[in-house]
Amino acid sequence: MRAKPDVALAVQTNDVLGECPVWCPREQALYWGDLFRPALHRFEPASGALQTWLPPEKFGSFALREQGGMILATRSGICFFDPPTGTLERICEPEADRPGNLLNDGKCDRRGRFWVGSMDKRLKERTGALYRVDPDRSWQRMEPWVWLSNGLAFRADDRVLYHTDSTDRCIYAYDFDLERGTIRNRREHASARDLPGVPDGMTIDEEGCLWSAQWGASRVVRYAPDGRVAGTVELPTARPTSCMFGGPRLDVLYVTSGFFRLSEAERAAQPWAGGLLAIDVGVRGLPEPRFAG
């Protein structure tokens, strides 16, 4: 990791709550969303081309599909979405019995299964959970009693799943069985309780270190494989939300942000708030898997 990485504004989309960056190596483009508008963005760094689509309902996360389009975790459940046509196909509702919840952050494992967590809308109760959605459209509740499910990442050897509970201000680790798609032995991997801000979305690099956006703290924190803080990158906006490696060599860390609940004075002092940031951190990330269904 570079001692003082350069931070640049890749593009300003003025997102209320920019989230869920996903790099597409096939297209050399970054996708991400504004969860409040709602909107989906596609940005090509080489040309500067930007496209934006407006999905028919709010969503918490998405992943790209092998067959084209996306799998979306929306307010009404899991859906397939095709941005150019606006077609939305509902496939399952893991939380039909929990109307006070909403689906939040999600990622695919290397067998093409979509893992997505949930949260209580009011943040009053621990009614969230972590789910696994399979390519055949079936689903399972893998971990109950989550408070605010957030960033997910899989270690390169596929033996560990990392999962953030933002209200606990903790990143947990599970033993992960890639073939069976199972998790066990939850333990605390990295605590942010003594750090400013709240751990939000995250990604992992090729050295096994986690990069966690710290909401409210104007920074991204790098956690070593043993869970200790290995470095921080200070940002010019208080509300970083998530991060993802991209670029031809997967060596650019893209960070989404928002201006949710910033005052007018705070927004004026943070002109990059709601924009997509690009950082040369000196390490490479891992390719992001697609949903196999």
Side-chain angles (χ1 to χ4, degrees):
M1 176 181 171
R2 299 190 190 283
K4 292 185 178 181
D6 294 330
V7 181
L9 178 66
V11 62
Q12 177 55 282
T13 43
N14 289 301
D15 295 325
V16 180
L17 190 62
E19 267 281 10
C20 196
V22 178
W23 178 256
C24 178
R26 299 176 189 176
E27 303 172 24
Q28 289 295 296
L30 188 84
Y31 290 84
W32 76 101
D34 182 343
L35 307 191
F36 264 61
R37 223 180 293 187
L40 273 167
H41 306 299
R42 179 186 181 275
F43 175 63
E44 294 181 10
S47 66
L50 175 69
Q51 290 176 280
T52 297
W53 300 277
L54 304 179
E57 63 180 89
K58 290 184 177 182
F59 61 95
S61 59
F62 66 91
L64 302 177
R65 296 178 63 200
E66 286 289 354
Q67 300 178 19
M70 303 171 171
I71 181 170
L72 251 64
T74 74
R75 293 294 173 90
S76 64
I78 305 297
C79 305
F80 291 152
F81 180 61
D82 181 57
T85 65
T87 304
L88 189 75
E89 178 188 357
R90 306 183 196 284
I91 63 171
C92 63
E93 296 183 48
E95 298 226 308
D97 62 332
R98 301 184 179 192
N101 282 9
L102 57 83
L103 295 173
N104 204 39
D105 214 348
K107 290 277 181 72
C108 283
D109 65 27
R110 293 179 184 87
R111 286 293 181 270
R113 297 171 291 233
F114 185 56
W115 294 71
V116 61
S118 65
M119 56 181 280
D120 172 23
K121 295 175 186 177
R122 304 169 302 159
L123 295 178
K124 298 291 186 182
E125 299 181 78
R126 195 181 288 272
T127 57
L130 180 64
Y131 299 91
R132 192 194 75 210
V133 181
D134 293 348
D136 65 2
R137 306 189 181 192
S138 63
W139 61 271
Q140 291 190 45
R141 187 172 289 156
M142 307 302 296
E143 175 70 81
W145 312 119
V146 175
W147 205 321
L148 201 176
S149 182
N150 236 312
L152 291 155
F154 296 89
R155 205 168 69 184
D157 62 5
D158 295 314
R159 299 180 63 181
V160 177
L161 164 65
Y162 299 102
H163 176 222
T164 303
D165 191 318
S166 293
T167 303
D168 286 347
R169 298 181 70 188
C170 183
I171 299 171
Y172 295 99
Y174 297 83
D175 295 331
F176 177 55
D177 187 317
L178 178 65
E179 298 304 318
R180 297 180 180 180
T182 56
I183 54 175
R184 64 178 183 85
N185 186 29
R186 183 173 107 154
R187 66 268 186 192
E188 188 172 296
H189 175 71
S191 171
R193 298 182 187 99
D194 295 328
L195 300 176
V198 176
D200 200 335
M202 69 179 176
T203 191
I204 193 167
D205 66 30
E206 65 179 2
E207 297 177 0
C209 294
L210 295 172
W211 293 78
S212 172
Q214 304 287 296
W215 172 269
S218 305
R219 63 176 57 180
V220 176
V221 174
R222 188 187 193 215
Y223 293 99
D226 63 3
R228 62 185 173 81
V229 174
T232 61
V233 180
E234 300 298 327
L235 304 174
T237 175
R239 303 278 197 267
T241 55
S242 191
C243 50
M244 169 66 59
F245 284 95
R249 299 183 66 251
L250 295 178
D251 59 353
V252 178
L253 186 70
Y254 288 101
V255 180
T256 50
S257 70
F259 57 80
F260 180 69
R261 291 183 177 172
L262 288 182
S263 67
E264 290 187 11
E266 288 171 326
R267 283 196 65 185
Q270 300 174 39
W272 289 8
L276 176 71
L277 309 182
I279 311 172
D280 179 7
V281 293
V283 296
R284 299 173 62 181
L286 300 175
E288 192 67 18
R290 291 173 175 253
F291 184 68

